[in-house]
Amino acid sequence: MMRVLQPLLALVLLTVSGLAVAGLPASEWPQFRGPQRDGLSVDTDLLSTWPESGPPELWRVPIGTGYSGMAVVGTRLFTMDSDTEREFAVCLDASSGKELWRTPIGPLFESYFGNGPRSTPTIDGDRVYVLGGQGRLAALQASDGEIVWRVNYQESFGSVLPEYGFSTSALVVGDLLIVQPGGSDGNAVAALDKHTGEVRWAVHDDAAGYSSPLLVEVDGARQLVLMTPKDLLGVSVSGDVVWTQPFAADQEIKPAMPVFVAPDLLFFSSGYDVGSIALRLEVEGGVAMAKEAWQDRLMRNHFNTSVAVGGDIYGFDNATLKCISAETGEEQWAKRGGLGKGSLIYADGHLIVLTESGKLLLVEATAKKYREIAGHQVLSGRCWTSPSMASGRVHLRNQKEIVSLDLRQTR
């Protein structure tokens, strides 16, 4: 039976040395989309409804421009931002919002749709791995932000700067750091030594994309699942391409991550009227091979990824929040109007939804119908960064500020 490492294992995730505090719940968000990169929080005992004034606000602080998400380990929150010239890795105290350190990573990436970094930091032990919009990858000390090593994608891999900047978030697998620099000569996907930044292997020819990698496990054998601009890939941890599947090769902007649906389904989605494809992984000769299960246009994730809960997939079909069946792709319900191209995560039986205009919603995670429990305007302006959840606190940002809200029933 195929499975990703179960969310309960998040309770024993590695903690940054010296950063954990006694008494805090063992709930962290150490990388893009959480402990298992699936957008699912292990937090329980959360508010089942909110007061009219919204969830209690713990703190709110200014932040520079960027769409980088927030990684939270122990009492520290890591993200990225920028000023008018440079991009920075930033560490805040997760309980107060106080800035602890900031480290310049590279020159500012500028875009009509918003300047600054797009990638979310990845925390592993005492290291923080960050990627700037111009392709500067760096490993930092989590304690003080000192740079341990750095790699320039354009110089080291011959990568071409994507139209909307380098955006993928690195994945740690053992001693490897899985990245997607893009480029010819087999540089679409690479594994670096996480301690030194040296290249261990690189495979596949394709440009740099926007979708981040996922690790799945099949009968004890691990496999990396990725979406490049032209293809879907299954790659062994040792760097062998196990399977490929073309997917809307003429539309290269596909930021949403692969989603795993237990026990054997992979879900990929793209906006720009592309739609979704589901692949079923079947073990043949000890190797998991992908075969198409279904494909349709009912769910078109633009830049924020869906979440899978049970046998259902919840996500944004452009500006419509939907629930579809993972097994068939059939639409279960759709909430149209007023949400924009929002984002969502799952926690304690509910979807925590951030609309494009900054309203936070609590929605029951059920395939029966759309049932909104509560809502509160938390931010303003363009809100394209997905929420992060740790220790019962949800962290949100736009291009100007970060806010932390307490969703716990007991404090």
Side-chain angles (χ1 to χ4, degrees), residues 4 40 63 135 147 161 169 192 217 247 261 281 288 301 328 350 363 368-369 378 380-381 397:
V4 227
L40 307 182
I63 195 75
I147 294 177
L161 178 65
S169 299
L192 311 183
E217 187 171 320
F247 180 51
V261 186
L281 288 172
N301 292 161
T328 65
H350 294 88
V363 177
K368 295 179 181 179
K369 65 178 182 178
V378 177
S380 60
R397 73 171 287 181

Side-chain angles (χ1 to χ4, degrees), residues 52-264:
E52 187 175 341
S53 58
E57 182 174 313
L58 298 172
W59 52 262
R60 182 183 298 257
V61 298
I63 195 75
T65 55
Y67 293 114
S68 177
M70 296 142 290
V72 185
V73 172
T75 59
R76 294 196 173 191
L77 179 152
F78 304 84
T79 190
M80 299 185 73
D81 73 355
S82 63
D83 59 19
T84 57
E85 297 180 348
R86 297 182 297 175
E87 298 180 349
F88 301 86
V90 182
C91 177
L92 306 179
D93 184 314
S95 61
S96 68
K98 178 184 177 182
E99 186 172 302
L100 302 177
W101 55 254
R102 69 170 42 235
T103 300
I105 298 302
L108 175 68
F109 173 76
E110 298 182 78
S111 169
Y112 172 80
F113 292 103
N115 299 339
R118 278 84 169 109
S119 176
T120 298
T122 298
I123 317 303
D124 178 64
D126 60 354
R127 291 289 181 265
V128 183
Y129 300 97
V130 295
L131 175 66
Q134 296 275 8
R136 268 63 166 186
L137 176 72
L140 314 177
Q141 290 185 170
S143 58
D144 57 10
E146 181 178 343
I147 294 177
V148 179
W149 56 259
R150 64 176 87 203
V151 171
N152 184 324
Y153 279 2
Q154 297 186 65
E155 292 178 359
S156 299
F157 295 98
S159 308
V160 176
L161 178 65
E163 181 178 2
Y164 300 112
F166 287 98
S167 305
T168 58
S169 299
L171 170 66
V172 173
V173 181
D175 288 330
L176 302 179
L177 187 71
I178 310 301
V179 296
Q180 294 175 254
S184 57
D185 300 323
N187 287 328
V189 183
L192 311 183
D193 186 308
K194 72 177 184 181
H195 304 291
T196 65
E198 296 180 358
V199 178
R200 292 279 192 88
W201 53 256
V203 295
H204 200 62
D205 289 337
D206 207 345
Y210 303 96
S211 174
S212 297
L214 177 69
L215 179 69
V216 299
E217 187 171 320
V218 185
D219 289 340
R222 296 175 299 172
Q223 184 178 103
L224 299 165
V225 179
L226 311 99
M227 179 160 56
T228 69
K230 292 183 171 61
D231 298 313
L232 311 177
L233 300 176
V235 180
S236 72
V237 176
S238 59
D240 297 315
V241 177
V242 178
W243 56 263
T244 62
Q245 169 78 39
F247 180 51
D250 57 343
Q251 176 47 258
E252 298 187 355
I253 303 171
K254 307 187 194 74
M257 262 190 69
V259 174
F260 174 74
V261 186
D264 57 6

Side-chain angles (χ1 to χ4, degrees), residues 8-76:
L8 288 178
L9 291 181
L11 298 175
V12 293
L13 284 173
L14 289 175
T15 300
V16 175
S17 178
L19 300 184
V21 173
L24 277 179
S27 162
E28 298 177 337
W29 201 267
Q31 59 182 330
F32 184 51
R33 304 197 72 232
Q36 308 304 323
R37 292 197 161 208
D38 53 12
L40 307 182
S41 169
V42 299
D43 284 342
T44 57
D45 196 28
L46 302 180
L47 294 171
S48 57
T49 187
W50 300 339
E52 187 175 341
S53 58
E57 182 174 313
L58 298 172
W59 52 262
R60 182 183 298 257
V61 298
I63 195 75
T65 55
Y67 293 114
S68 177
M70 296 142 290
V72 185
V73 172
T75 59
R76 294 196 173 191

Side-chain angles (χ1 to χ4, degrees), residues 272-294:
Y272 302 97
D273 211 31
V274 171
S276 304
I277 185 171
L279 305 181
R280 195 171 304 281
L281 288 172
E282 299 179 359
V283 178
E284 300 176 0
V287 178
M289 304 298 294
K291 296 182 179 179
E292 183 175 329
W294 55 262

